[in-house]
Amino acid sequence: MRAAQEGHEHIVRVLLKYGARSVARKNLEKMSALMLASQRGHAQVVKMLICAGAEMDDKTAQDSTALMLACKRNHVQVAKVLVAAGCQLFLKDNLKRTARDTAQRKSFPELMELLRPSIQVQLMKRDVRIDRNHIMIQVWNLLQQERATVPFEDGCISIHQVADMDNSRALTLVETTETALIRTMTLPAPLVEHIAGFLPLPNLWTRRLEALTTTCLIDPDAAVICTLDLVDEILVEGGFIEALDSSGVPPFPTFQSWAQWKAWGTEWDGPH
């Protein structure tokens, strides 16, 4: 706890590596290592503790969460880590204040913007994309070192053998949806990294639905709004807007097409 509180990243990393006691352990004020690090503004330590399984939404004796403790002292980077990791935004302390209420009361506009549900979704998606891109490079390294192989017919072949194949034969390796990924792994690392940067953001629909089941118990009104936003996103991703235009369904009076309405909605929901 003391190492986390003082921001000693190396010590925290070593303790976690060699089996430090549970990250859920708390002091007399019911504060965990994650809460202490959040309160002091140690973003990297907070990230390490979350990766080690620390509970983000635990409460202190005053019912404050790690996010609330960070917001009270305007630790924006810590709040970003917690929000991107998917912490609850709508929990309240013993004064019935959410983290955003605290930021508003203390006039911290950057935090107020950060604590919007739509911003949380964006940060969560970007965080997962970074992890996904990192995994892609790890897989590339394993394939290039021939510590991993590609399934082919009744056995497996190396990625270098795939690179030597013509495209027509390579298409028989796996399902069509995976062919592009396999072919990408035959390219040089800088190109793989560049391609990974163009992959679409993950939708995280399952994870967000799971979070909404908790939000329903905390703030039903907020849960309804977030659910409607999620339904809108699913319909848009599924091509519903294009289907409306193709079917000749008239858009709202102020728009010439549903595509224009979609563009307006995207601009409205984006960062301001």
Side-chain angles (χ1 to χ4, degrees):
M1 282 189 187
R2 180 59 63 86
Q5 184 177 31
E6 299 299 329
H8 299 309
E9 296 176 25
H10 176 68
I11 296 175
V12 172
R13 188 176 292 109
V14 170
L15 288 171
L16 292 173
K17 181 179 180 180
Y18 290 100
R21 290 190 179 185
S22 170
V23 290
R25 186 181 178 187
K26 296 183 178 181
N27 62 17
L28 295 177
E29 293 296 319
K30 295 178 64 177
M31 295 183 70
S32 64
L34 178 66
M35 293 172 178
L36 293 168
S38 299
Q39 186 181 54
R40 292 292 186 91
H42 305 308
Q44 287 304 313
V45 173
V46 168
K47 187 175 292 187
M48 283 190 282
L49 291 169
I50 292 173
C51 291
E55 175 53 58
M56 293 182 290
D57 296 323
D58 272 354
K59 292 189 171 186
T60 67
Q62 290 76 39
D63 285 339
S64 292
T65 63
L67 180 63
M68 294 174 191
L69 294 170
C71 289
K72 287 176 182 178
R73 300 192 180 188
N74 200 25
H75 295 314
V76 177
Q77 292 307 313
V78 170
K80 278 185 179 179
V81 171
L82 291 164
V83 170
C87 71
Q88 270 291 336
L89 303 182
F90 302 105
L91 290 169
K92 296 181 179 181
D93 60 17
N94 59 356
L95 297 176
K96 306 302 179 186
R97 293 173 181 156
T98 64
R100 197 169 194 274
D101 292 336
T102 297
Q104 184 174 16
R105 179 171 166 270
K106 290 180 172 287
S107 299
F108 296 149
E110 189 174 359
L111 277 174
M112 288 177 61
E113 175 68 11
L114 179 66
L115 298 176
R116 291 169 49 209
S118 60
I119 298 298
Q120 181 177 41
V121 170
Q122 291 176 24
L123 291 175
M124 289 171 64
K125 287 181 176 182
R126 289 172 187 171
D127 238 29
V128 172
R129 180 167 65 179
I130 289 170
D131 290 340
R132 182 185 62 190
N133 293 358
H134 179 66
I135 291 171
M136 280 188 65
I137 297 303
Q138 286 182 316
V139 171
W140 182 90
N141 283 321
L142 290 173
L143 289 168
Q144 295 300 322
Q145 296 167 15
E146 298 194 2
R147 293 167 60 194
T149 55
V150 178
F152 180 62
E153 295 179 351
D154 295 329
C156 296
I157 59 175
S158 73
I159 197 68
H160 301 105
Q161 290 173 296
V162 174
D164 292 336
M165 289 182 180
D166 59 55
N167 284 330
S168 60
R169 191 167 181 226
L171 287 173
T172 67
L173 286 174
V174 288
E175 296 292 333
T176 305
T177 53
E178 299 176 358
T179 302
L181 178 60
I182 296 296
R183 297 299 289 179
T184 298
M185 291 297 169
T186 67
L187 301 173
L191 277 178
V192 175
E193 292 179 358
H194 189 65
I195 291 170
F198 283 93
L199 291 176
L201 289 169
N203 55 52
L204 304 181
W205 291 337
T206 301
R207 183 175 168 187
R208 288 158 62 188
L209 279 172
E210 291 172 352
L212 282 171
T213 60
T214 303
T215 306
C216 286
L217 304 175
I218 300 168
D219 190 331
D221 291 342
V224 169
I225 294 171
C226 292
T227 301
L228 291 174
D229 286 342
L230 180 56
V231 170
D232 281 347
E233 183 180 324
I234 293 171
L235 290 174
V236 169
E237 290 294 324
F240 184 70
I241 302 303
E242 289 75 10
L244 290 173
D245 274 336
S246 298
S247 302
V249 177
F252 296 114
T254 52
F255 299 97
Q256 295 180 354
S257 67
W258 284 104
Q260 186 184 30
W261 174 82
K262 176 183 175 181
W264 170 82
T266 302
E267 180 180 350
W268 179 260
D269 287 338
H272 302 304

